[in-house]
């Protein structure tokens, strides 16, 4: 299998591949002045410890009678592509949650093609669906005319797992199930700071062609600046389409230019498969650590094998139920949730076995969300 295919088929972060409306300049970063923390090490360790414990359920809103509200309702979800394992698992969880409540839920199968997304919206309109949900990285801006037609026909529009919590959705979207990418960024910065005993020299690898990547990278930059105003950080920006050709070479160049780099933070963990070879080639294995975000199974396996030090995971089973909760609140006249209440969990050498051997998308997080959502929806 070629490296390009591995990114497409295995990379959780590739689910965010889509035309974005903003670009972020690459190379060495300049960060606005941020007040230093009073006790930066204590602050960093507190952030880390808050994400080590087994997740507990926190209700994202008031309880409501979901079964009564959703009777005869129909939801069609269009993921960015069903060739991506992340989207397959997310859709399974969303379908499972919908089945528990008892309403019609349809996943629109597609292979990352615009005409297929357009056909899905047309199908939702012609078959009298109540909602079109754009899931797993599908940017509503590329479907503006079609979404306008759907809204004119009386459909509601939602997005699932696309925007960061700091980003407003476009006007064509009614409700958005946002993700705490900025929280993950703060956690990555805290980890690098604590693990280097307050002396991080960090290479951040981002992809500014992916819309939520912009605040994600910024949160890492800002948190590092707050913890360690004088510590060095560099930003390597690589478009998703060039991961397989540019991440390894860019990482090698950065390490050769500055041998004092001691941490690499690729914001999406599938980037790690191109970072690790660069460490090996430059002789940096062991002295330079890697930490990332997503909980992609093959990267969790890399944690178990010692190639990646830490990976922040998110349960896709939990994410699917949280997404359905927000969609139902939209149809039931309840307030939109501020973010999908999906916990971020640190996986490192101490707990990586709980993620499964080999790792999978859903082990290690417990099942508190199942009981929590059932009670929230008055199913029991």
């Amino acid at each position: 299998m070629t490296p390009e295919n591995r990114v497409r088929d295995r990379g959780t972060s590739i689910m965010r591949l889509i035309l974005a409306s903003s670009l972020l300049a690459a190379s060495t970063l300049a960060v606005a002045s941020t007040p230093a923390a009073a006790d930066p090490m204590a602050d960093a360790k507190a952030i880390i410890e808050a994400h080590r414990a087994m997740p507990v359920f926190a209700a994202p809103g008031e309880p409501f009678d979901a079964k009564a509200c959703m009777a005869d309702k129909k939801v069609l979800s269009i993921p960015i592509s069903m060739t991506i394992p992340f989207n397959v698992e997310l859709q399974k969880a969303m379908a499972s949650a919908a089945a528990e409540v008892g309403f019609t839920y349809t996943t629109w199968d597609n292979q990352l093609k615009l005409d297929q997304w357009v056909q899905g919206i047309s199908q939702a309109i012609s078959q009298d669906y109540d909602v079109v949900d754009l899931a797993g990285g599908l940017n509503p801006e590329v479907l503006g005319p079609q979404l306008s037609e759907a809204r004119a026909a009386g459909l509601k529009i939602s997005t699932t797992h696309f925007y960061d919590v700091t980003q407003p959705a476009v006007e064509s979207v009614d409700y958005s199930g946002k993700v705490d990418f900025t929280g993950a960024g703060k956690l990555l910065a805290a980890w690098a700071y604590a693990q280097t005993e307050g002396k991080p020299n960090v290479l951040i690898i981002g992809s500014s062609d992916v819309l939520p990547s912009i605040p994600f990278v910024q949160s890492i930059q800002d948190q590092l600046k707050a913890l360690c105003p004088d510590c060095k950080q560099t930003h390597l920006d690589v478009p998703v389409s060039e991961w397989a050709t540019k991440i390894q070479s860019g990482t090698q160049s950065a390490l050769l230019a500055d041998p004092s780099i001691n941490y690499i933070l690729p914001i999406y963990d599938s980037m790690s498969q191109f970072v690790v070879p660069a460490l090996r080639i430059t002789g940096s294995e062991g002295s330079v650590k890697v930490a990332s975000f997503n909980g992609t199974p093959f990267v969790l396996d890399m944690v178990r094998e010692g190639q990646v030090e830490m990976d922040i995971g998110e349960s896709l089973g939990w994410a699917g139920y949280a997404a359905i909760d927000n969609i139902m609140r939209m149809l039931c006249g309840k307030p939109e949730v501020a973010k999908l209440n999906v916990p971020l969990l640190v996986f490192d050498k101490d707990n990586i076995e709980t993620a499964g051997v080999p790792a999978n998308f859903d082990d290690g997080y417990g099942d508190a969300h199942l009981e929590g959502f059932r009670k929230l929806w008055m199913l029991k």
Side-chain angles (χ1 to χ4, degrees), residues 89-166:
E89 294 299 318
L90 181 62
Q91 287 296 321
K92 284 181 181 178
M94 293 176 74
S96 178
E100 286 208 49
V101 177
F103 65 89
T104 298
Y105 180 87
T106 302
T107 296
W108 186 256
D109 196 1
N110 73 87
Q111 290 75 45
L112 197 66
K113 294 181 179 179
L114 177 61
D115 62 331
Q116 294 173 331
W117 302 333
V118 171
Q119 290 168 6
I121 295 174
S122 296
Q123 184 89 343
I125 295 171
S126 66
Q127 296 192 4
D128 296 321
Y129 275 78
D130 299 281
V131 174
V132 168
D133 176 61
L134 307 181
L138 181 49
N139 190 337
E141 293 188 54
V142 303
L143 292 165
Q146 291 78 24
L147 296 181
S148 294
E149 182 183 356
R151 295 183 90 189
L155 281 75
K156 296 284 189 181
I157 308 298
S158 62
T159 64
T160 290
H161 212 293
F162 176 63
Y163 292 107
D164 176 65
V165 293
T166 64

Side-chain angles (χ1 to χ4, degrees), residues 190-244:
W191 182 270
Y193 181 83
Q195 295 299 111
T196 59
E197 299 182 350
K199 298 178 181 179
N201 180 353
V202 176
L203 172 64
I204 304 165
I205 305 178
S207 290
S208 62
D209 59 330
V210 182
L211 190 61
S213 301
I214 298 171
F216 194 171
V217 168
Q218 189 67 50
S219 69
I220 299 174
Q221 296 170 345
D222 289 347
Q223 186 65 31
L224 283 171
K225 191 70 174 177
L227 292 169
C228 188
D230 298 325
C231 292
K232 189 174 181 181
Q233 46 174 306
T234 303
H235 177 209
L236 172 65
D237 188 48
V238 183
V240 173
S241 61
E242 298 180 356
W243 282 11

Side-chain angles (χ1 to χ4, degrees), residues 144 154 193 203 249 264 341 374:
Y193 181 83
L203 172 64
S249 61
I264 299 179
N341 70 333
R374 287 164 184 161

Side-chain angles (χ1 to χ4, degrees), residues 7-19 78-88 90 112 117 135-139 160-163 179 181 210 212 240 243 268 270 293-294 296 314 316 361:
V7 174
R8 186 191 66 227
D9 293 337
R10 298 166 66 191
T12 298
S13 55
I14 304 299
M15 58 97 185
R16 299 181 178 87
L17 172 60
I18 191 62
L19 299 174
I78 307 175
I80 187 172
S81 175
M82 285 295 281
T83 64
I84 299 168
F86 176 97
N87 282 286
V88 173
L90 181 62
L112 197 66
W117 302 333
L138 181 49
N139 190 337
T160 290
H161 212 293
F162 176 63
Y163 292 107
V179 179
F181 293 109
V210 182
V240 173
W243 282 11
Y268 302 129
S270 293
F293 163 75
N294 266 156
T296 306
E314 55 173 349
L316 295 191
F361 278 110

